[in-house]
Amino acid sequence: MDNILHRKIRVGISACAYGSKTRYNRKGWDLVSEFGRDMSNFIWCPLCPEVMSGMGTPRSQIRIQGESGRDVIEGRAKIVARNGDDVTEDIMFASNLCMDILRRSEVDAFIYMDGSPTCGIERTTLKNNRAGKPPGVFGAMLLEEDIFLIPALSLASPVRRWDYKRRLYAYVWAKSQELSNKNDLYQFWHNVKFLCQELDEKESRVMGNRIANSEFSPELAAELKAFVTTLMKKPSTLEKIKNRLWKHYVYIKKTQGAEISEIMEPQDNRNMHHIAMELEAIEKFAFTNDVLFGSMPARSR
Ligand code: SF4
């Protein structure tokens, strides 16, 4: 069992986060170019439910009149435009259409623009730091799907971008693995256990003990895959990432006798850009020398 992704990752994205000027005021931001050389590992599917509703851009701003986008879907709330038009039917039509397109595209992940009454998940407005009435209509539909969700604005932070990238790679890799015997289970777990422990130490110990003490069964294999793919959706923290970075570096130094010049001592002060640079340096070393970097268990070709 190798830890290589053998296909490109398919990613849906709110079009305005992909650089398209599709917002109501004809604005948009390119939040993905920072992936740099990793861009070639993805196939993108940008879409904008509000434009696809027929409203175009520029357009009147819309808001949820009622509790949330979920209530809109269930017929208990409406979407109204600032000019007073009821656009519920248009947004519902376009959100369903976009979901159909994402299913046809077989996307693994979706990068959503938060702060929108349509694509938002934690927020449906960006006004005065309010959350609005989350989730938005399309956001509520995304939450029902088994896909990896990424808030577009988090990609502006280099460390968070790295964290999303390595968990997404591991998620796609884990989903693609066939686990047919005990050896498969062991190898699979060996690859992902360090990252699992970083994300949830307690539950990962429980899972590790189960694998060690159980006979192979298809049910256990399915449970293990579900455990890992669910856990990969959970963001890590800066402290945990830094801590694991140092542990892996010490291990690599000891076993490979290698020094990586970019990596600083744990107590040294450095900014997020430098930490991301250290993570990428150890990632590169591990991949070039075919050493498992437990913080990033799956890699592209
Ligand atoms: S947040 Fe969604 S609906 Fe709004 S402009 Fe961006 S892609 Fe379109």
Side-chain angles (χ1 to χ4, degrees), residues 220-258:
L220 178 61
E223 197 187 322
L224 174 60
K225 273 178 75 167
F227 173 77
V228 171
T229 50
T230 304
L231 198 51
M232 288 306 123
K233 295 176 182 172
K234 182 178 168 178
S236 189
T237 64
L238 179 61
E239 273 322 296
K240 284 182 181 177
I241 291 171
K242 275 167 51 182
N243 190 284
R244 298 280 166 158
L245 164 71
W246 184 251
K247 273 192 184 159
H248 286 297
Y249 179 51
V250 169
Y251 176 75
I252 282 177
K253 268 212 298 195
K254 199 167 129 197
T255 56
Q256 307 290 311

Side-chain angles (χ1 to χ4, degrees), residues 3 22 115 119 121 164 171-172 177 186 205-206 244-245 252:
N3 63 345
T22 52
C119 292
I121 287 187
Y164 272 103
Y171 169 83
V172 173
Q177 297 305 300
Y186 277 136
R205 297 265 173 230
V206 172
R244 298 280 166 158
L245 164 71
I252 282 177

Side-chain angles (χ1 to χ4, degrees), residues 128-153:
N128 309 327
N129 256 349
R130 284 185 297 118
K133 297 176 174 176
V137 175
F138 187 53
M141 293 180 183
L142 288 170
L143 285 169
E144 296 296 314
E145 298 289 307
D146 179 22
I147 53 176
F148 189 100
L149 294 172
I150 303 172
L153 294 172

Side-chain angles (χ1 to χ4, degrees), residues 4-108:
I4 298 169
L5 292 169
H6 291 281
R7 65 169 175 83
K8 290 185 187 269
I9 299 174
R10 305 185 71 91
V11 184
I13 181 166
S14 297
C16 60
Y18 192 70
S20 308
K21 294 179 178 177
T22 52
R23 294 212 33 118
Y24 72 95
N25 53 3
R26 232 180 59 80
K27 281 191 176 163
W29 305 273
D30 178 359
L31 295 170
V32 295
S33 292
E34 293 288 342
F35 275 114
R37 64 188 167 84
D38 290 307
M39 284 290 278
S40 61
N41 296 326
F42 304 121
I43 292 173
W44 300 95
C45 180
L47 31 86
C48 173
E50 289 184 24
V51 166
M52 288 160 86
S53 75
M55 284 194 282
T57 184
R59 59 184 173 274
S60 192
Q61 232 180 322
I62 61 172
R63 67 183 169 85
I64 296 169
Q65 197 174 73
E67 282 306 305
S68 69
R70 193 163 282 122
D71 277 8
V72 176
I73 295 169
E74 288 167 8
R76 293 189 297 273
K78 292 195 293 189
I79 302 274
V80 289
R82 188 173 269 178
N83 64 7
D85 288 350
D86 180 339
V87 294
T88 311
E89 220 175 283
D90 304 302
I91 294 294
M92 281 298 297
F93 166 80
S95 296
N96 279 311
L97 178 64
C98 288
M99 283 314 310
D100 283 348
I101 293 168
L102 290 184
R103 288 186 197 115
R104 288 175 77 92
S105 306
E106 297 183 340
V107 297
D108 304 293

Side-chain angles (χ1 to χ4, degrees), residues 164-181:
Y164 272 103
K165 178 188 81 172
R166 53 119 183 213
R167 286 184 292 107
L168 175 58
Y169 281 19
Y171 169 83
V172 173
W173 175 84
K175 264 203 327 187
S176 71
Q177 297 305 300
E178 296 282 338
L179 306 179
S180 349
N181 53 50

